[in-house]
Amino acid sequence: MKSLLVKTVRDAGIVGAGGAGFPSHVKYNADVEFVIANGAECEPLLYCDQIVMKRHAKEIVEGLKLVMKGTGAGRGFIALKAKYHDAVEALKEGIASEPSISLHLMGNFYPAGDEQVIVNDVTGRIVPEGGIPLNVGVVVANISSLLNVARAFNGEPVTSRWLTVNGAVSRPYTAELPIGVTFREAIDIAGGPTVSDCVIISGGPMMGKISGLDSVVSKTTSGILVFPSSHPHIQRLAQSPDSILRRTKSSCDQCMACTEICPRFLMGHELRPHMVMRAIAYGLSDSEVVTSSFLCCECGVCSYYACPLFLSPGTVNAYIKSQLAGKGVKNPHNRRTDEVRKFRKERLLPIPRLVQRIGLASYAKQYAPFEEVNAERFLRVSVPLKQHIGVPSVPVIKAGISVGKGSIIAEIPQEKLGARIHAPISGTVIEVSDNFIVIQR
């Protein structure tokens, strides 16, 4: 069954739908005790996972069973927040005759959907520093990935993506859109922006990236959020690394607020963001404290919630990681710990408090309900050749060729980490570049 699972998932082009985009056929090629379906969806303003669980509970359970069978897992869990009442009821019905699968209901905190957090919350195990859930006998799969697994076994490759459009738009919504649709088109369905000068975030407000209207939906696009450019959170997201580093050296008062609420520190890992900030201030470029930046999950808690001086320890960590990686330095931290910090539960960050702190309370009152979107309305798609961790996919078609929806248009380079790509719509290939394949209906 393992080989069938790996082949089917590879052929369908499935990647992690939670945001990172790791090719799922590689992740599932393992032997584990537990498989956890991740439906926590901890980023504010996003509703796609909740709605997918409500509408496709049976398929998600089927996908979970297939991954359990392929990895040899004896137990499966679907982890989601207790507040997702409709999804909880749908999933209870879906697992009614599945004694090896149970629901794990979580609190409304951030970042509940982080893989290491969810592993500990569900199993009590702690992923070692620099490790992954496989190190403790667990596979974590986003619920949309599992929906795609169930579809793959019915012969359907990945050609679309569930996402939420929210923020400063007339009619927030959640829908399944073809890959390659522009953000502009997705926002038009929401009635367009309600502000004249707007900035777009791809993903959630904490871990998402500032994008443009001409950006396109990919396999990892969980949200398209619209905000006025003057919003304080947008201005913080837009700070340059150089500016952040200068302020770090001159302003950090070593209050430790960033460390005391850091999810990795609370997990028992030796990541102390305030000490990284101190090391930067003193120019200690090769110390053990500096390399501890490799342990940062870049959740943004320290940057956008904890720091009273509005500094960005998370951005500093990300910058250090990129600099070290550029020099060929690998993560030297792999310590195992048997206990989380004793005060961890008391320091979990409630979502309402986070939303208030980053100035999104008015948007959080909006719901983004399901909307049925007819894919025929999209006449052209620009399909990225890199929608995943690894190397870009290699086109296997040329301009002028007619393709059907679901046909293979780009393949994984031999013996490389990547994912196959399929045509999101039927039409004619009008352009093949180093970055995109453009298809006209």
Side-chain angles (χ1 to χ4, degrees):
M1 178 60 190
K2 184 193 299 299
S3 59
L4 177 61
L5 173 69
V6 170
K7 182 180 186 306
T8 304
V9 168
R10 181 193 182 281
D11 290 351
I14 300 173
V15 304
F22 191 84
S24 298
H25 66 277
V26 178
K27 177 185 281 192
Y28 299 160
N29 190 17
D31 296 304
V32 298
E33 296 177 63
F34 307 118
V35 177
I36 301 173
N38 186 350
E41 193 167 44
C42 56
E43 283 264 24
L45 310 187
L46 302 185
Y47 294 90
C48 54
D49 284 1
Q50 303 168 48
I51 290 174
V52 169
M53 288 185 286
K54 176 186 174 181
R55 297 181 61 86
H56 296 285
K58 290 184 179 179
E59 295 99 317
I60 291 167
V61 172
E62 183 59 30
L64 176 56
K65 288 166 58 181
L66 288 165
V67 175
M68 288 170 62
K69 190 172 182 181
T71 58
R75 291 285 298 161
F77 300 92
I78 304 175
L80 70 163
K81 292 181 179 179
K83 63 176 282 190
Y84 302 158
H85 302 296
D86 291 342
V88 169
E89 292 306 311
L91 289 166
K92 280 183 178 178
E93 182 178 343
I95 65 171
S97 59
E98 304 294 341
S100 61
I101 300 176
S102 56
L103 299 188
H104 179 86
L105 303 184
M106 308 177 74
N108 189 27
F109 66 90
Y110 180 85
D114 174 79
E115 279 197 341
Q116 296 196 18
V117 169
I118 212 166
V119 166
N120 181 255
D121 222 54
V122 174
T123 70
R125 298 178 180 181
I126 303 174
V127 177
E129 292 179 347
I132 57 176
L134 286 177
N135 298 139
V136 291
V138 182
V139 158
V140 179
N142 180 269
I143 55 95
S144 287
S145 299
L146 295 175
L147 172 60
N148 287 334
V149 170
R151 288 176 170 178
F153 274 80
N154 286 325
E156 300 176 43
V158 178
T159 60
S160 60
R161 167 73 213 202
W162 280 90
L163 56 84
T164 294
V165 179
N166 205 346
V169 294
S170 297
R171 299 185 308 277
Y173 72 93
T174 298
E176 187 172 15
L177 301 183
I179 290 166
V181 168
T182 67
F183 285 11
R184 186 188 308 275
E185 292 172 299
I187 293 168
D188 284 345
I189 296 172
T194 57
V195 292
S196 58
D197 186 14
C198 65
V199 172
I200 315 300
I201 293 180
S202 175
M206 293 294 285
M207 299 184 73
K209 305 298 181 184
I210 292 179
S211 302
L213 288 169
D214 294 325
S215 300
V216 298
V217 173
S218 75
K219 295 178 182 181
T220 60
T221 308
S222 57
I224 300 173
L225 305 180
V226 181
F227 298 107
S229 61
S230 59
H231 194 285
H233 186 61
I234 291 297
Q235 293 182 346
R236 294 194 68 190
L237 285 173
Q239 292 180 95
S240 70
D242 287 344
S243 171
I244 291 169
L245 287 171
R246 284 197 302 271
R247 294 185 61 224
T248 294
K249 294 176 181 179
S250 64
S251 303
C252 179
D253 62 5
Q254 292 292 291
C255 70
M256 295 181 60
C258 54
T259 294
E260 290 175 348
I261 200 171
C262 169
R264 287 291 184 268
F265 173 74
L266 295 177
M267 198 61 64
H269 294 180
E270 283 303 315
L271 171 61
R272 302 171 189 263
H274 78 283
M275 294 187 67
V276 177
M277 300 288 271
R278 181 193 300 175
I280 290 297
Y282 289 137
L284 306 177
S285 60
D286 57 355
S287 70
E288 186 174 328
V289 170
V290 170
T291 58
S292 72
S293 293
F294 278 116
L295 305 180
C296 175
C297 63
E298 299 181 37
C299 68
V301 167
C302 55
S303 298
Y304 309 124
Y305 179 84
C307 184
L309 298 177
F310 302 104
L311 303 178
S312 297
T315 305
V316 171
N317 281 332
Y319 174 80
I320 292 171
K321 284 195 287 185
S322 67
Q323 294 297 305
L324 293 174
K327 296 177 181 178
V329 178
K330 295 184 178 180
N331 175 26
H333 302 273
N334 55 15
R335 187 179 65 91
R336 290 181 176 268
T337 180
D338 296 326
E339 292 184 339
V340 299
R341 308 285 177 186
K342 293 181 180 180
F343 42 77
R344 176 178 178 266
K345 288 186 178 180
E346 288 72 27
R347 294 189 183 172
L348 296 177
L349 176 56
I351 291 290
R353 190 179 298 170
L354 171 64
V355 165
Q356 191 70 39
R357 179 68 63 87
I358 61 179
L360 301 183
S362 61
Y363 298 117
K365 295 176 182 177
Q366 302 175 162
Y367 180 59
F370 168 72
E371 181 161 335
E372 187 77 55
V373 177
N374 184 356
E376 296 292 323
R377 69 180 289 156
F378 303 110
L379 303 181
R380 177 183 294 196
V381 292
S382 297
V383 186
L385 292 172
K386 193 172 190 314
Q387 307 179 50
H388 47 265
I389 289 177
V391 300
S393 302
V394 177
V396 294
I397 42 81
K398 297 180 179 179
I401 299 295
S402 294
V403 294
K405 178 183 176 181
S407 58
I408 302 169
I409 59 174
E411 191 56 274
I412 308 170
Q414 190 171 4
E415 298 183 0
K416 299 290 185 180
L417 180 66
R420 179 179 281 181
I421 298 175
H422 302 78
I425 63 173
S426 297
T428 301
V429 178
I430 61 172
E431 181 182 346
V432 178
S433 70
D434 292 338
N435 300 313
F436 294 91
I437 295 174
V438 182
I439 302 173
Q440 180 82 34
R441 192 180 292 282

